[in-house]
């Protein structure tokens, strides 16, 4: 997802630059999100239960079953 958000940010920033208009706030929001999401993902792997963000949101858990 950060890859797509990053491309969207570049598109918004480049479009505003080529048109000679001020950069809309959306461009900066997307740019920040493209950097914050991967960092948050890495932090979530090492903090707490060690589950990724999408696992925490979905409420999934992996359990070891010994037979």
């Amino acid at each position: 997802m950060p890859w797509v958000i990053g491309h969207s940010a570049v598109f918004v920033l480049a479009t505003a630059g080529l048109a000679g208009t001020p950069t809309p706030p959306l461009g900066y929001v997307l740019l920040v999100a493209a950097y914050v999401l991967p960092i948050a993902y890495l932090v979530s792997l090492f903090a707490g239960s060690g589950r990724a963000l999408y696992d925490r949101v979905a409420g999934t858990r992996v359990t070891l079953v010994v037979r």
Side-chain angles (χ1 to χ4, degrees), residues 40-51 56:
Y41 174 77
L42 287 174
V43 168
S44 73
L45 291 177
F46 297 106
S49 61
R51 295 183 297 160
R56 291 174 194 243

Side-chain angles (χ1 to χ4, degrees), residues 20-65:
T21 60
T23 304
L26 175 64
Y28 295 115
V29 170
L30 290 172
L31 189 63
V32 169
Y35 283 99
V36 169
L37 284 174
I39 293 169
Y41 174 77
L42 287 174
V43 168
S44 73
L45 291 177
F46 297 106
S49 61
R51 295 183 297 160
L53 287 176
Y54 47 82
D55 286 335
R56 291 174 194 243
V57 170
T60 59
R61 294 185 186 272
V62 177
T63 58
L64 178 63
V65 177

